[in-house]
Every structure is written in structure tokens, then in C-alpha cells.
Amino acid sequence: MSQLFRVGLVGVGLMGHGIAANILKGGHTLCFLDHPGNQPVDDLRAAGATAKASGREVAEAADVVILCVTGSPQVEAVLFEPGGVLEGLRPGCVVVDCSTALPSSTERVAARVETAGGRFMDAAMTRTPKEAEEGRLNLIVGAPEALFLEVQPLLECFAENIAHAGQVGAGHTLKLLHNFVSLGFTAVLAEAAAASRRAGIDDAAFLDVLGKGGGGGVILERLRPYIADGNASGFRFSVANGLKDIGYYRTMTEDLGAQRGVADAVLALYQSISDAGHADRPVPELVGLLGPSKG
């Protein structure tokens, strides 16, 4: 039988709730940080999870602490603020950062965790809350090989595909590359769909031609329910989160000295939609926000 862990979770949001539920199904012990931003947790409590009042208390009760928060500022806050995770970190405890974060921040965070006697790995997520609940997330992991192999059985409780990308920071780097491509495709397809509607093309014809040609793929299928029926529920990712991720990618390319002309254009599109007051809208709604609505 695989080793059972005492797990602490910070961030029981749309993604974190599914992670928590599947950790419990795997037989592991779970505590979580009580926070107003959590999803309803009655089912988790009923399955044996316990709430803690601070990050310090979460760490004191855990062999592995999983962070599932928005980005680098939140990661640094839950770890390093008074009463944070670092204060309760026990020797050898593993911190697993599942957020989308700047690699430069990740390197600093890892160094501070290791100085405090802990161990660190980034395990950036892709896919959606639906797959999180199903235990079918994709994870991109940055960690030493031995640490990855040690924690892999726990990760398999809530992930279907796990890629070991390299050393610490590689997971967050590849996640930003992935999200730039994903959100870039979304922007391209949304602009094309909006232009198609302005030209009077039937949505079904648009979807058929792109789906059977060069526009086919995961992103078109995520946008399809909204384009066809106005249903954005299958792609629950906000414009604000998209803007944050593209901004992180833009910063990373600056740090690397890499080309970023396309990234600038994608960033400008998400920024314009956010500035127009639509930051909280799901990204499929870009289609309607960029042009005439269906019907």
C-alpha cells in the first residue's frame, strides 16, 4: 500500500475543493485553512477533514502542505506573513505550490522554505474545476527527482497526467508557456467568432469549418458550448485570471530576454476587456464582448 500522508491545504477554491475531496478519497488525512474564499466545505468535513485557523496551524499538522491560491503575492503571503505556513513548518515537511506563479518568485520562495528546514516543489495545474472534482487534473512539476517520486503517489490522487518538467521552477515556467498558448488561442478564436458574426456567418457553419480544419482542438471545444448555446459553464476561468497569467508570462519573457510581440497583443486584448468592467466574466464570453451576441 502506498504511504499515507497528513496533508494540509491552503486554498479550497474552485480547484482546491476537488483536490481536497480526492485526497480524502485516497485515504489521506486532510486539514485546511479556514478562509472566506473557500468553497462550501461541509462535504469535506463529513469525510473527515478539519479546519485550521492559520497557515501555521495547517503546517503544524501536516507532512505535506499544498498551496492552491491565485498567484505569487498570495503564495508569499500565506507562507511568510505572521501566523503563516513557514512559522509552523516541521523539519522535512514538503510545500507543494499548485498555483500559477512567476518563476523568479518561485525560486525565492523555495530558498526560504529550504532555509526553514522544509522541502519545496512546484506542481502547476492545468484543466478546469470539473476535472479537479473528477481527480483528473494535469500537473507540471518542478522538483528534484527523489522528491518527485516520494510525493507522486499523493499527486496521483487528484491528477490524471503528471509531467516532471525538471528542477524547482520548471513547473511554473511550463505552466506559463501552456497558459500563454491556451489563452492566446482563446483570444484568436474569440476575435474570429466575433468577426464571423459581424459578417453574418451562421455559428454552426463557423464551428463546423474550424472544427474540421486548422481551428480544431481543445480550446475550440471549450468555447463551442458558448458559441453555439451561450453556455460558458464548461470553461470557468475569468478574464481577470487570464490577464494575470498573461501578465506573468510577459514578465517571464522580459526576464528571459525572449520575444513577446504576440504576448503583448494578447495582453492588450484581455486588458481592454478588463478595463471595460468585465474582469469577472468567464473567458468564453470574450466572443460576445468583442462583437454581437448570438441571435
Side-chain angles (χ1 to χ4, degrees):
M1 182 177 179
S2 297
Q3 177 185 355
L4 294 179
F5 293 91
R6 297 186 305 159
V7 181
L9 178 64
V10 178
V12 191
L14 290 172
M15 302 293 276
H17 183 277
I19 290 173
N22 284 290
I23 286 172
L24 289 165
K25 289 176 185 176
H28 304 280
T29 302
L30 180 75
C31 67
F32 61 89
L33 178 64
D34 193 13
H35 191 275
N38 287 348
Q39 293 291 295
V41 295
D42 289 348
D43 60 328
L44 302 180
R45 291 179 182 272
T50 57
K52 300 293 184 181
S54 69
R56 175 181 56 78
E57 292 179 29
V58 169
E60 288 173 343
D63 307 308
V64 177
V65 176
I66 297 176
L67 309 180
C68 190
V69 296
T70 304
S72 292
Q74 293 77 20
V75 168
E76 295 182 15
V78 300
L79 285 172
F80 306 138
E81 285 185 352
V85 167
L86 209 67
E87 287 187 6
L89 204 66
R90 297 181 307 104
C93 182
V94 182
V95 175
V96 181
D97 182 5
C98 290
S99 69
T100 300
L102 280 167
S104 56
S105 170
T106 299
E107 292 173 6
R108 293 193 299 271
V109 165
R112 290 188 64 176
V113 168
E114 289 163 10
T115 298
R119 297 177 291 165
F120 180 90
M121 61 192 299
D122 42 315
M125 304 175 289
T126 67
R127 291 188 165 171
T128 71
K130 176 178 180 291
E131 286 87 17
E133 292 292 340
E134 295 168 351
R136 297 178 49 248
L137 288 173
N138 291 341
L139 294 180
I140 313 166
V141 178
E145 179 76 15
L147 180 58
F148 170 69
L149 293 174
E150 178 184 337
V151 180
Q152 186 176 6
L154 174 63
L155 303 180
E156 288 173 346
C157 289
F158 56 90
E160 181 177 32
N161 301 301
I162 304 173
H164 184 208
Q167 296 299 308
V168 168
H172 283 153
T173 298
L174 262 176
K175 171 66 182 292
L176 293 180
L177 290 162
H178 171 278
N179 278 22
F180 167 58
V181 172
S182 175
L183 292 164
F185 283 177
T186 299
V188 168
L189 287 168
E191 278 199 355
S196 175
R197 287 179 174 180
R198 287 188 182 276
I201 301 296
D202 182 73
D203 285 338
F206 173 82
L207 289 168
D208 182 59
V209 170
L210 266 69
K212 292 177 180 176
V218 171
I219 300 303
L220 181 65
E221 294 313 307
R222 287 184 179 172
L223 295 178
R224 182 184 293 274
Y226 181 79
I227 295 171
D229 301 308
N231 180 3
S233 63
F235 196 176
R236 296 165 70 190
F237 194 80
S238 70
V239 168
N241 279 333
L243 180 60
K244 182 257 301 179
D245 287 4
I246 295 297
Y248 279 7
Y249 176 81
R250 179 68 169 69
T251 299
M252 183 180 76
T253 58
E254 287 180 347
D255 291 342
L256 294 171
Q259 292 295 319
R260 50 188 179 270
V262 175
D264 287 343
V266 174
L267 181 65
L269 184 145
Y270 283 90
Q271 187 70 63
S272 68
I273 297 298
S274 178
D275 290 347
H278 305 301
D280 293 332
R281 304 284 283 275
V283 292
E285 293 187 17
L286 285 173
V287 176
L289 294 169
L290 291 170
S293 300
K294 183 179 174 65

